[in-house]
Amino acid sequence: MNPSRRCVLVVDDEAAMCTLLQRVFERGGWSVQTANDADDALEILGQATFDLLVVDKNMPGKSGLDLLKAARERGIATPALLVTGNPTARLAGDLLALQVEGFLRKPFTEVDAALRAANEIAERNERHRHLQRLRDSARGGGDSGE
């Protein structure tokens, strides 16, 4: 993956959905990797870092929520969007607990909504990382290097 581009991991058991999201993100300048289940995604997350995860909630075997819980338990704090056809109040609580940035409702009425949401999350997190680096630099600014 090109290190200067934003990178997204799309996780969905439906190949057509992976392909659709891959095309949308690539058109928006993102580098995209896909996985068809939670286990593959966890393996990929152990080998590479991403700016965003886009995860289907309902997959055979481990769900998208299971995947995000396992990722968080492993210290992977990558921002995530959950894809679901049935957002509920209970799901909103799960999203907060798993530090999920939001959800995308299926079926997509406008596929570019995924790209807009992703760009907003990435920009917010880039600003946060920049501010954190400035804070860290200010704290260490008085060090003499000894």
Side-chain angles (χ1 to χ4, degrees):
M1 281 187 240
N2 182 341
S4 66
R5 293 173 64 189
R6 291 177 178 158
C7 302
V8 60
L9 175 61
V10 174
V11 186
D12 200 306
D13 60 304
E14 297 177 32
M17 183 60 73
C18 280
T19 300
L20 171 67
L21 289 170
Q22 182 172 6
R23 287 180 182 157
V24 168
F25 280 104
E26 286 176 345
R27 189 182 72 223
W30 287 67
S31 177
V32 182
Q33 193 162 349
T34 62
N36 295 112
D37 62 42
D39 290 329
D40 287 346
L42 285 170
E43 185 175 325
I44 292 167
L45 287 168
Q47 300 169 5
T49 58
F50 295 88
D51 297 297
L52 181 68
L53 307 175
V54 177
V55 180
D56 185 27
K57 177 182 175 278
N58 295 317
M59 296 184 288
K62 293 179 184 161
S63 72
L65 294 175
D66 294 334
L67 164 60
L68 292 170
K69 182 177 180 185
R72 300 308 186 230
E73 288 171 350
R74 294 177 185 193
I76 300 168
T78 304
L81 287 171
L82 192 71
V83 179
T84 181
N86 187 24
T88 63
R90 181 170 182 243
L91 177 60
D94 291 337
L95 297 180
L96 286 172
L98 293 171
Q99 302 168 326
V100 176
E101 300 279 338
F103 68 90
L104 299 171
R105 188 178 189 130
K106 279 204 268 189
F108 296 131
T109 54
E110 185 183 345
V111 293
D112 286 337
L115 183 59
R116 279 196 307 276
N119 284 332
E120 289 171 10
I121 291 166
E123 289 166 8
R124 183 172 51 244
N125 284 306
E126 286 167 2
R127 284 191 303 271
H128 176 74
R129 283 192 303 270
H130 177 71
L131 288 172
Q132 189 60 47
R133 282 192 302 272
L134 289 174
R135 285 185 199 113
D136 292 347
S137 176
R139 280 187 213 120
D143 284 345
S144 62
E146 296 179 24

